[in-house]
Amino acid sequence: MHGSHATGSPYAPHTEEDRTAMLEAVGADTVEDLFDIPADVRFEGSFDIDARTERETRRLVRSVLGRNDDLTELLGRGHYGYYVPSLVDHLADRSEFLTSYTQYQPEISQGFLQALFEYQSLLVELTGLAVANCSMYDAATALGEAATLADRVRDTTGHRVLVPERLREERRSTLENYVAGTDLAVETYPVDDGNVDLGALEASVDEEVVMLYAENPTVRGTIEEHLEAVGDLAAANDTLFVLGSDPIALSVLQRPVDVGADVVVGDASVLGLPTSYGMGLGLFATREDYLRQVPGRLVGASEDATDRRAFTLTLQTREQHIRRERATSNICTNQAWVALRTAMHAAVLGPSGMVDLAERDVRRARDLAARLDDIVGVKAPVHDRHHLREFVARVDQPATAVAEDLERRGFAVHVVGDHEIQVCVAGVSDDRIDRFAEAVEEVAR
Amino acid sequence: MSDDRPAGEANSRYDQARYIENGEYEPLLSEKDLTRVEIDGGVGDGGDESDGDGDDSPLPDDLTRDTLELPELSEPELARHYTRLSQMIYGIDSGPYPLGSCTMKYNPKFTEDVAALPSAAVHPDRSEGSVQGTLELLYRLQDYLGRIGGMDAVTLQPPAGAAGEFVGIRVAAAYHEHNGEGHRDEVIVPESAHGTNFASAALGGYDVVSLPSDDEGRVDLEALEAALSEDTAALMLTNPNTLGLFERDIEEIAEMVHDVGGLLYYDGANLNALLGRARPGDMGFDVMHYNVHKTFATPHGGGGPGAGPVGVVDDLAPFLPAPRVRERGEESTSGDSIYERFEPEHTIGKVHGFDGNWLVLVKAFAYIARLGDEGLSDASASAVLNANYLAEQVEYDVPYGPFHHEFVASAGEQDAADVAKRMLDYGVHPPTTKWPEIVPEALMTEPTEVESKDTLDRLAAAFNAVAGEDDVALEDAPERTTARRIDQTSAARTPRLSWQALSE
């Protein structure tokens, strides 16, 4: 019979009898005697945090989060709210998945190891590259890891890292922090009508460039048309070509290996997570040549003592817990459970489902752009390119005013310029898109 | 398991999951049904297939791949596949998980439900006015963590503990740079520290100076004196340290570091042992990270996600990552505070593409709000009691002491890795092995506060049964798990990292 937990942790199971017996066993009078803390640094105060029942706590969180407006989000730019099938929630929430830790004892972790092996395999198919790790934090940190990889594997004397001038500021800033401890310097190259400005890039790339980064689709939602030329340029200058993308885009767009990409980074949580305030899953894949320099965790196939196939973490000598300051990365806790969800979502869709989802969004984005373009005071899309699921629209009115008016009507869009908004169809139902187009018509004149 | 149950007849926790028909394991998805989809029928520029039936790609051939080959299974098949996989995993809900320094404790289920609230699912680029709930929760969690750690300002952006360490290092670097002290290029890390400390300092561009422990397992003050200099940017310290020992000289350590102009960094991995008893801010630490997934119980999810918020004293607050959240100082029509994002004056910028692992932060907030002062304090009390009780019951040599929430036993003549494999046969998760290296054949054990006396007695029985076994039993272990001992060497020598590589 456990005692009441009115004033203690509800998850600590000791009864008073247990405590007494345990204290006796360790030879202490009170639990406080076990705290070997000098009096000068003992904390005698209070945090002033009231304990609540489970029901009260749920009510508190519900009431705080209830202050969020219920808006239809036509937002993207790296974070997408695709519908996640119920199957993913139910299976990923099985407590064996949820409450296990890193698979340091593979003999009792085969299920998670196999799921991560399948996730790695998904990325290998999507990128065409031979090696994928089983997760970084998000696209921005994966880009940072790619730069430190470039610093390790390129034996040139160069220090330049080239990124497109139109890159989310947050990604650029994260990259700057990752390279702060190296000699690398981040520079930008121009873009032209939503794609790489090839001529300008050609003029800028030389053998001092250790890493060249491009995105497909771009932050403006366009599909990049010059990837092969970028890959050739990188190869000619012995520069690591890093391509940013995501699993839905990769199901239909040019295979990274075919355009000469050395590393693919990006956010894989486009599958598996709902809109979650930017929580993500960093995708990281690369060529076999860099296997022993790859950051993060890897799951490999092996055999057990009875010669049956079994999975295990491998090449751990790259990792911080063994190699310390010479590790390929400081990452320890990663996004394994999100990777599991991504693999599950991809499995539910299957290859035809993934292709359909991407192609359907290409059509829906194109249709919506055409509809908006018919509205007086709107030009869409701004770029005369193919778009995957989002596009930029020019509005005659100030973009902030348009966005505010749309928000009052229940729709959220990005403001990306004084007279530019960006609109994303990912995860938005067709009838909401209809109503959105009507709302734009009302506010854009 | 009771003490008198013989080895090899331990429980059958894994047996249900050992084999499916034909003695094989759950097949890979690719071995079930692999489908190749052709991506063809590109329209070329100017084409219009928007009213098509979906057979043709709406994109030109030269911008698309040719094929996509992945498994295509029905939903029931997938439900069974992943259920089978889950049966081949040991989690904290399966049994005790005393993995030292990882703080594997039971996670309340209601936090999953609050994180799944539809109102929690918002895009990070939403306007401030439309996400007041999210901003309020972030603000309140910043505030909670500041009070718990004794810190003046907190950022919630780092997506894991190691990411928090990196932020701490970057903030320290920016602070020194700002004060014209950019020449400081060394970070001191005790040998017993988590490997992430070394890696994070190196990633930040610092030379790492390793610090030996004294005879009692604590920071060697003479060695520290010798290591400190005008080049010292920071000392990274875990307190209690990874041996479970409180660094009693912390005030003197802080003074020594501050005297040479260095900063003191607190690795929050072991904060579970101190809640309500001591605060890093009061001990002289300038910057710290919180492993909210450890201290405040968020499920570890097979290796992540976590979250690693960073707290700092006032002097360092201007350098924290942007944006942070604050009260705007006015109220909404309904009388609620209004919250806004802001950029600290000398911010280092961003360390994550958005604002970190939001869902983990929601769970941490709910957990802290549930427990309150008394619950948090009791969690530490129970964790410390459990560690000391288990250390007392284990027949292996347990050097040093007294312990906080973890202790390190020595397997002595036995190989600690073999001991761990054998413990699997007793139906429990083994401790962390062979680390910290200060203790030979280390078995680093952290029972956490959630294990009952009965469970600790079972754990001790498993330790003690293995302690009495010979090398043969150990080397053959494990015998009763889903897979038998796995060949790590061949996995590393011939890496096969995808199903594509398996079929080559």
Side-chain angles (χ1 to χ4, degrees), chain A residues 161-376:
Chain A
V161 170
L162 280 184
V163 301
E165 64 181 358
R166 283 202 195 277
L167 175 67
R168 272 198 78 115
E169 175 51 31
E170 294 85 349
R171 286 188 187 178
R172 163 86 191 245
S173 182
T174 303
L175 174 62
E176 296 272 9
N177 268 313
Y178 267 77
V179 302
T182 69
D183 293 333
L184 301 178
V186 181
E187 300 173 22
T188 56
Y189 63 84
V191 295
D192 176 31
D193 194 22
N195 268 196
V196 168
D197 182 339
L198 207 53
L201 181 62
E202 214 158 338
S204 177
V205 175
D206 57 27
E207 290 184 354
E208 294 288 302
V209 177
V210 295
M211 174 179 138
L212 172 55
Y213 178 66
E215 293 184 339
N216 192 27
T218 69
V219 68
R220 307 276 281 186
T222 58
I223 293 169
E224 180 58 62
E225 293 165 23
H226 308 304
L227 286 180
E228 280 171 73
V230 174
D232 290 344
L233 203 51
N237 289 278
D238 191 27
T239 292
L240 203 73
F241 177 21
V242 178
L243 181 64
S245 195
D246 69 77
I248 290 177
L250 290 169
S251 350
V252 292
L253 301 183
Q254 286 172 290
R255 254 190 351 154
V257 71
D258 295 334
V259 298
D262 298 294
V263 179
V264 176
V265 297
D267 208 304
S269 71
V270 61
L271 291 175
L273 275 188
T275 311
S276 50
Y277 199 60
M279 177 162 158
L281 166 61
L283 174 174
F284 196 101
T286 188
R287 296 181 182 282
E288 193 153 20
D289 304 359
Y290 307 131
L291 175 59
R292 281 161 209 278
Q293 290 296 329
V294 170
R297 234 161 248 147
L298 296 170
V299 176
S302 186
E303 291 79 35
D304 76 356
T306 61
D307 290 329
R308 285 199 174 82
R309 183 176 69 202
F311 300 96
T312 180
L313 297 179
T314 193
L315 299 171
Q316 290 183 73
T317 50
R318 298 166 300 110
E319 290 191 70
Q320 41 72 30
H321 65 279
I322 293 182
R323 192 68 70 84
R324 305 210 303 195
E325 69 267 32
R326 291 183 305 282
T328 54
S329 164
N330 73 331
I331 198 166
C332 181
T333 293
N334 59 11
Q335 304 284 107
W337 183 71
V338 189
L340 170 78
R341 294 181 60 98
T342 295
M344 285 177 166
H345 192 168
V348 176
L349 290 172
S352 41
M354 287 173 70
V355 171
D356 285 350
L357 185 60
E359 293 188 341
R360 189 166 158 263
D361 273 0
V362 170
R363 293 193 175 93
R364 293 187 334 133
R366 189 168 60 195
D367 292 350
L368 178 59
R371 271 178 85 171
L372 298 188
D373 199 46
D374 284 343
I375 296 169
V376 176

Side-chain angles (χ1 to χ4, degrees), chain A residues 111-190:
Chain A
F112 218 123
L113 288 163
Q114 181 171 332
L116 292 174
F117 185 85
E118 292 177 351
Y119 166 78
Q120 291 174 180
S121 305
L122 167 74
L123 296 189
V124 167
E125 170 62 19
L126 287 171
T127 61
L129 297 168
V131 178
N133 75 17
C134 58
S135 84
M136 316 302 292
Y137 307 128
D138 76 337
T141 54
L143 175 58
E145 297 277 4
T148 63
L149 175 81
D151 196 38
R152 288 193 297 276
V153 302
R154 287 290 153 190
D155 47 10
T156 67
T157 54
H159 304 290
R160 300 172 64 205
V161 170
L162 280 184
V163 301
E165 64 181 358
R166 283 202 195 277
L167 175 67
R168 272 198 78 115
E169 175 51 31
E170 294 85 349
R171 286 188 187 178
R172 163 86 191 245
S173 182
T174 303
L175 174 62
E176 296 272 9
N177 268 313
Y178 267 77
V179 302
T182 69
D183 293 333
L184 301 178
V186 181
E187 300 173 22
T188 56
Y189 63 84

Side-chain angles (χ1 to χ4, degrees), chain A residues 47 67 69 302 309 363, chain B residues 31 56 126 136 373 487:
Chain A
F47 302 143
R67 295 185 64 193
D69 294 341
S302 186
R309 183 176 69 202
R363 293 193 175 93
Chain B
E31 292 162 340
D56 292 335
R126 288 260 295 253
E136 177 173 344
D373 272 278
D487 185 351

Side-chain angles (χ1 to χ4, degrees), chain A residues 7 9 11 13-14 19 22 25-26 32 35-36 38 40 43 46-52 54 57-58 64-65 67-69 73 76 79 94-101 103 105 107-108 110-112 114 117-118 120-121 125-126 137-138 140-141 168 170 173-174 177 180-181 223 250-255 275 277-279 291-292 299-305 308-309 312 314 320 324 330 334-337 347 351-352 359 363 367 386 407 414, chain B residues 23 25-27 29 31 39 45 49-50 56-57 62-65 69 71-72 78 81 85-86 88-90 92-93 97 102 104 108 110 113 119 121-127 130-131 133-134 136 147 159 162 166 170 196 198 200 218 246 248 251 273 277 279 299 301-305 337 341 348 350-353 355 357 366 369-374 378 382 386 392 404 421 449-451 484-488 490-492 496-500:
Chain A
T7 58
S9 164
Y11 314 114
H14 304 132
R19 281 203 182 200
M22 291 165 78
V26 301
E32 296 312 316
F35 284 89
D36 181 28
D40 285 354
F43 176 64
S46 151
F47 302 143
D48 208 13
I49 303 172
D50 292 331
R52 296 167 177 82
E54 181 175 311
T57 312
R58 287 178 70 133
V64 170
L65 291 179
R67 295 185 64 193
N68 286 341
D69 294 341
E73 297 174 338
H79 186 71
R94 285 182 65 90
S95 73
E96 300 87 343
F97 284 126
L98 203 52
T99 76
S100 60
Y101 190 46
Q103 299 76 25
Q105 297 293 341
E107 291 85 359
I108 55 168
Q110 284 300 298
F112 218 123
Q114 181 171 332
F117 185 85
E118 292 177 351
Q120 291 174 180
S121 305
E125 170 62 19
L126 287 171
Y137 307 128
D138 76 337
T141 54
R168 272 198 78 115
E170 294 85 349
S173 182
T174 303
N177 268 313
I223 293 169
L250 290 169
S251 350
V252 292
L253 301 183
Q254 286 172 290
R255 254 190 351 154
T275 311
Y277 199 60
M279 177 162 158
L291 175 59
R292 281 161 209 278
V299 176
S302 186
E303 291 79 35
D304 76 356
R308 285 199 174 82
R309 183 176 69 202
T312 180
T314 193
Q320 41 72 30
R324 305 210 303 195
N330 73 331
N334 59 11
Q335 304 284 107
W337 183 71
S352 41
E359 293 188 341
R363 293 193 175 93
D367 292 350
H386 293 280
E407 191 172 299
H414 303 277
Chain B
Y25 300 118
E26 175 68 11
L29 283 176
E31 292 162 340
I39 300 158
D45 287 336
E49 294 292 308
S50 58
D56 292 335
S57 171
D62 60 347
L63 295 184
T64 55
R65 59 192 294 145
E69 187 172 10
E72 181 113 49
L78 288 170
H81 175 69
L85 293 187
S86 76
M88 297 193 283
I89 303 169
Y90 186 101
I92 186 67
D93 287 3
Y97 212 129
C102 297
M104 288 297 294
F110 84 96
D113 293 339
S119 50
V122 294
H123 194 284
D125 289 338
R126 288 260 295 253
S127 69
S130 72
V131 291
T134 291
E136 177 173 344
R147 291 188 222 178
F166 179 57
R170 287 288 304 130
T196 48
F198 301 88
S200 299
R218 295 182 173 82
F246 192 85
R248 296 180 202 128
E251 285 182 292
R277 302 300 184 302
R279 306 194 302 174
S337 294
R341 304 177 177 108
I348 62 166
K350 296 277 290 183
V351 290
H352 184 270
D355 286 342
N357 281 335
R370 169 87 172 95
L371 266 66
D373 272 278
E374 296 87 355
D378 182 59
S382 298
N386 276 0
E392 192 66 31
H404 278 258
K421 296 301 178 201
E449 69 270 22
V450 302
E451 303 305 344
R484 299 284 301 274
R485 183 84 66 108
I486 294 169
D487 185 351
Q488 308 276 354
S490 87
R496 289 165 292 163
L497 307 174
S498 63
W499 63 50
Q500 294 88 343

Side-chain angles (χ1 to χ4, degrees), chain B residues 340-419:
Chain B
E340 64 183 5
R341 304 177 177 108
F342 75 101
E343 183 162 311
E345 190 182 359
H346 307 298
T347 180
I348 62 166
K350 296 277 290 183
V351 290
H352 184 270
F354 297 101
D355 286 342
N357 281 335
W358 158 250
L359 297 177
V360 177
L361 300 173
V362 176
K363 295 176 199 180
F365 172 77
Y367 181 86
I368 295 170
R370 169 87 172 95
L371 266 66
D373 272 278
E374 296 87 355
L376 293 170
S377 171
D378 182 59
S380 278
S382 298
V384 171
L385 177 60
N386 276 0
N388 282 281
Y389 177 74
L390 185 59
E392 192 66 31
Q393 308 302 308
V394 170
E395 286 167 12
Y396 283 110
D397 180 38
V398 184
Y400 309 118
F403 303 104
H404 278 258
H405 67 315
E406 62 192 5
F407 64 88
V408 183
S410 174
E413 299 298 306
Q414 293 178 326
D415 184 297
D418 288 343
V419 168

Side-chain angles (χ1 to χ4, degrees), chain B residues 13-33:
Chain B
R13 179 165 285 132
Y14 317 108
D15 290 3
Q16 58 178 350
R18 283 182 78 174
Y19 309 110
I20 61 164
E21 310 90 76
N22 309 322
E24 293 300 321
Y25 300 118
E26 175 68 11
L28 286 163
L29 283 176
S30 59
E31 292 162 340
K32 296 190 170 186
D33 184 10

